[in-house]
Amino acid sequence: MPSAPSVLVTLDASRNVPLHQQVYADLREAILSGRIAARAQLPSTRLLASELRISRTTVSLAFDQLRAEGYLEARERGGTFVAAAIPDRLLSAARPVARPVARPAPSVAALGTSKRGAALAGLATPSMAMSAHPVRAFRTGMPALDAFPHAVWGQISARLWRRAPRALLAYGAPNGYEPLRRAIAHYLQISRGVRCAADEVFIVGGSQEALYLAAQLLIEPGDAAWIEDPGYPGARNALVAAGARVVGVPLDDEGLDVAQGRRLAPHARLAYITPSHQYPLGVTMSIARRLAMLEWARESGAWILEDDYDSEFRYTSRPLPSLQGLDAEDGARNARAIYIGSFSKTLFPSLRIGFLVVPSALVDSFGAARAVLDRQSPTVEQAVLAEFIGDGHFARHVRRMRALYAERQEALLRAAQNGPLAEHIETAASGAGMHLMGWLRHLRDDRRASTCALEAGIETPPLSAMSLAPQPRAALLLGYAAFTPQTLAKASDRLAGALRAARAKPGAKEKRALRA
Ligand SMILES: Cc1ncc(COP(=O)(O)O)c(C=O)c1O
């Protein structure tokens, strides 16, 4: 090896890039430029961490990502090595910029891709390294995997396979398995006030595919699209991937500020909103705002994508019925709202089953787009889910999880308000959802706070990673649904330790604030 890897890594704590991503980016560049040779053995994570004076977890995260992307290989007898063959096309790549923080799109010339490909490669997507780790506190958006009724799911699945209906194994309809579409339509009518027939329900591979398809079908490159700011990065990414000019519209305590949206981009083609429970702040959109949204959409011919991702988990009051139901009230002819839901929160995210409710005029277009993309969702899983819902297990599971999540939220609040974490963050009870906002009391830079937490083994995404405009206060998101009270208490203390250490070593933003 020409030089020790620690010499090739330059860390800068004041950059807006987490340390593990800086390590990843520098090692990747050293491999691509040949400064670390193919097949060279790397030092252990322990040694590299001690040379760089950072935690071992930080180095492990960087190694995990490099392994996941094929730059490094772990050998059976131990040790981590640079892969024997790095594809030639990568060897000529320009200096890459770390993932998954939002970054300027790499140039087309550097990647050899289309402009669209380069824009896609520049998106901040969930890190592969992160998903390689077991679920740990306070990962957001994660349901209680410990409480999933495996036995019932397994029985239904086994029964289906025993019957072995051949029709389930052949290609299915792009819009989904009919009994599942019927079960979802029934559920949505009763519990969410959605006006729909089974023919308007479209099964997809999770909300992300719903957002991707809707953006591809409805956006012309260059069209403006409203998103909530702060808001869900998955929606922003799908819109950017379709060439939209994304316009962040601020929120207040009634939800997205429609008057501001009208000022910023009156002729936007589409608006993405989470009216039941805004992600990530948790506001419920008022009826007045819902009506204002619909009025704007009708006047300007815009579409509204209503993402109803976690409305099942309301603890203190009943959710407002869907905006889609309000839209369809005066007849479906002028319908502007497209409703999106997912089983990622109510069951488990790797199921990859979500759905859209689309106005009937759009059903065929969605069918064609789906057939081009990946034909259909796996039929056997759809059939298991249809029976799970039809036999009443789904409603029972959601009821149980609602009670469990309310208890877990209380446990997190107890730990965060009565323990050492109270010195560093401010939290308040929420009547809904699966995470709480942890408002930082002293630190100004939530990305740095999040990185320090990650180095202590705690996952807590920063609010600024979900924001286009600078936010008035820095905050971390604390997911609680997937964790027992004991885990939440331990993780809270650990987070307090990480934030204490971060405070003792102020970053650039904190130093600026102290000088001001
Ligand atoms: C706002 C929002 N919508 C949708 C989803 C679910 O996405 P999917 O169905 O693709 O798993 C999430 C998951 O975190 C989310 O936060």
Side-chain angles (χ1 to χ4, degrees), residues 8 44 50 61 88 107 111 113-114 127 138 140 142 159 172 193 203 230 239 245 307 359 390 393 447 450 482:
L8 302 170
S44 68
S50 102
L61 277 170
D88 288 346
S107 74
L111 290 178
T113 62
S114 64
S127 136
F138 299 96
T140 52
M142 194 54 66
R159 200 167 60 228
I203 312 290
L239 291 166
R245 183 169 60 83
D307 182 357
H393 302 298
R447 285 184 194 266
S450 171

Coordinates of all heavy atoms in Angstrom, one line a residue, residues 8 44 50 61 88 107 111 113-114 127 138 140 142 159 172 193 203 230 239 245 307 359 390 393 447 450 482:
L8 N -4.5 9.3 4.2 CA -5.4 9.7 3.0 C -6.7 10.3 3.4 O -7.5 10.7 2.6 CB -5.6 8.5 2.1 CG -4.3 7.8 1.6 CD1 -4.6 6.5 1.0 CD2 -3.6 8.8 0.7
S44 N -7.2 -2.5 10.7 CA -8.5 -2.8 11.3 C -9.2 -1.5 11.6 O -8.6 -0.5 11.7 CB -8.2 -3.6 12.6 OG -7.6 -2.7 13.5
S50 N -8.2 4.7 15.9 CA -7.3 5.3 16.9 C -6.3 6.3 16.2 O -6.0 7.3 16.7 CB -6.6 4.2 17.8 OG -5.3 4.0 17.3
L61 N -18.9 2.3 10.0 CA -19.9 2.8 9.1 C -19.4 3.0 7.7 O -20.0 2.7 6.7 CB -20.6 4.1 9.6 CG -21.6 4.0 10.7 CD1 -21.9 5.4 11.3 CD2 -22.9 3.4 10.1
D88 N -13.7 -0.5 -14.4 CA -12.9 0.6 -15.0 C -13.6 1.9 -15.1 O -13.1 3.0 -14.9 CB -12.6 0.2 -16.5 CG -11.6 -0.9 -16.6 OD1 -11.0 -1.2 -15.5 OD2 -11.5 -1.5 -17.6
S107 N -21.2 15.7 -12.1 CA -21.4 16.1 -13.4 C -21.6 14.9 -14.3 O -21.1 13.8 -14.1 CB -20.2 16.9 -13.9 OG -19.1 16.0 -14.2
L111 N -19.7 11.1 -14.6 CA -20.3 9.8 -14.4 C -20.6 9.0 -15.7 O -20.8 7.8 -15.6 CB -21.7 10.0 -13.7 CG -21.7 10.5 -12.2 CD1 -23.1 10.7 -11.7 CD2 -21.0 9.5 -11.4
T113 N -23.2 9.4 -17.3 CA -24.7 9.1 -17.3 C -25.4 10.2 -18.1 O -24.8 11.2 -18.5 CB -25.2 9.1 -15.9 OG1 -25.1 10.4 -15.3 CG2 -24.6 8.0 -15.0
S114 N -26.7 10.1 -18.2 CA -27.5 11.1 -18.7 C -27.6 12.2 -17.6 O -27.2 12.0 -16.5 CB -28.9 10.6 -18.9 OG -29.5 10.2 -17.7
S127 N -29.0 5.7 3.5 CA -27.7 5.2 3.3 C -27.7 3.6 3.4 O -28.4 3.1 4.3 CB -26.7 5.7 4.4 OG -25.9 4.8 4.9
F138 N -32.7 5.9 17.9 CA -34.1 6.2 17.8 C -34.5 6.2 16.3 O -34.9 7.2 15.8 CB -34.4 7.6 18.4 CG -34.0 7.7 19.8 CD1 -32.8 8.2 20.3 CD2 -34.9 7.2 20.8 CE1 -32.5 8.3 21.6 CE2 -34.6 7.4 22.2 CZ -33.4 7.9 22.6
T140 N -36.2 6.3 13.0 CA -37.6 6.8 12.8 C -38.3 6.0 11.8 O -37.7 5.2 11.0 CB -37.6 8.3 12.3 OG1 -36.7 8.3 11.1 CG2 -37.1 9.2 13.3
M142 N -40.0 3.4 12.1 CA -39.9 1.9 12.3 C -41.0 1.4 13.2 O -41.1 1.9 14.3 CB -38.5 1.6 12.8 CG -38.1 0.2 12.7 SD -38.2 -0.5 11.1 CE -37.0 0.4 10.2
R159 N -51.0 -21.8 4.6 CA -52.3 -22.2 4.1 C -52.4 -21.9 2.6 O -52.7 -22.8 1.8 CB -53.4 -21.6 4.9 CG -54.7 -22.3 4.8 CD -55.8 -21.8 5.8 NE -56.1 -20.4 5.6 CZ -56.1 -19.5 6.6 NH1 -55.8 -19.9 7.8 NH2 -56.4 -18.2 6.4
G172 N -49.5 -11.1 -12.7 CA -50.8 -10.6 -12.3 C -51.0 -9.2 -12.9 O -50.3 -8.7 -13.7
G193 N -62.5 7.8 5.5 CA -63.4 8.7 4.7 C -62.9 8.9 3.3 O -63.3 9.9 2.6
I203 N -52.3 -1.0 -6.2 CA -51.2 -1.5 -5.3 C -49.8 -1.3 -5.9 O -49.6 -1.6 -7.1 CB -51.4 -3.1 -5.1 CG1 -52.8 -3.4 -4.8 CG2 -50.4 -3.6 -4.1 CD1 -53.3 -3.0 -3.5
P230 N -40.2 22.1 6.6 CA -39.5 20.8 6.4 C -40.5 19.8 5.9 O -41.7 19.9 6.2 CB -38.9 20.5 7.7 CG -39.8 21.1 8.7 CD -40.3 22.4 8.1
L239 N -39.9 13.8 -6.8 CA -40.2 14.9 -7.7 C -39.0 15.4 -8.4 O -39.0 15.6 -9.6 CB -40.8 16.0 -6.8 CG -42.2 15.7 -6.2 CD1 -42.5 16.7 -5.1 CD2 -43.2 15.7 -7.3
R245 N -39.2 21.3 -10.5 CA -38.6 22.4 -9.7 C -39.3 22.4 -8.4 O -40.4 22.9 -8.3 CB -38.8 23.7 -10.5 CG -38.1 24.9 -9.8 CD -38.1 26.1 -10.8 NE -39.4 26.5 -11.2 CZ -40.2 27.3 -10.4 NH1 -39.8 27.8 -9.3 NH2 -41.4 27.7 -10.8
D307 N -50.3 12.2 1.3 CA -49.6 11.0 1.8 C -50.1 10.8 3.2 O -49.8 11.6 4.1 CB -48.0 11.3 1.8 CG -47.2 10.1 2.3 OD1 -47.8 9.1 2.8 OD2 -46.0 10.2 2.3
P359 N -58.0 9.1 -9.3 CA -59.2 9.4 -10.0 C -59.3 8.5 -11.2 O -58.3 8.1 -11.8 CB -59.0 10.9 -10.5 CG -58.0 11.4 -9.6 CD -57.1 10.3 -9.2
G390 N -58.9 -9.3 5.7 CA -60.2 -9.9 5.7 C -60.6 -10.6 6.9 O -61.7 -10.6 7.4
H393 N -57.4 -9.6 11.3 CA -56.1 -9.5 12.0 C -55.5 -8.1 11.9 O -54.8 -7.6 12.9 CB -55.1 -10.5 11.5 CG -55.5 -11.9 11.6 ND1 -55.8 -12.5 12.8 CD2 -55.8 -12.8 10.6 CE1 -56.2 -13.8 12.6 NE2 -56.3 -14.0 11.3
R447 N -27.0 18.8 12.5 CA -26.3 17.7 11.7 C -25.1 17.2 12.5 O -24.8 16.0 12.6 CB -25.8 18.2 10.4 CG -26.9 18.4 9.4 CD -26.3 18.8 8.0 NE -27.3 19.2 7.1 CZ -27.9 18.5 6.2 NH1 -27.6 17.2 6.1 NH2 -28.8 19.0 5.4
S450 N -26.3 15.1 15.3 CA -26.8 13.8 14.9 C -25.5 12.9 14.6 O -25.5 11.7 14.9 CB -27.6 14.0 13.6 OG -27.8 12.8 13.0
A482 N -40.5 1.4 17.8 CA -39.9 0.1 17.7 C -39.1 -0.3 18.9 O -38.5 -1.4 18.9 CB -38.9 0.2 16.5

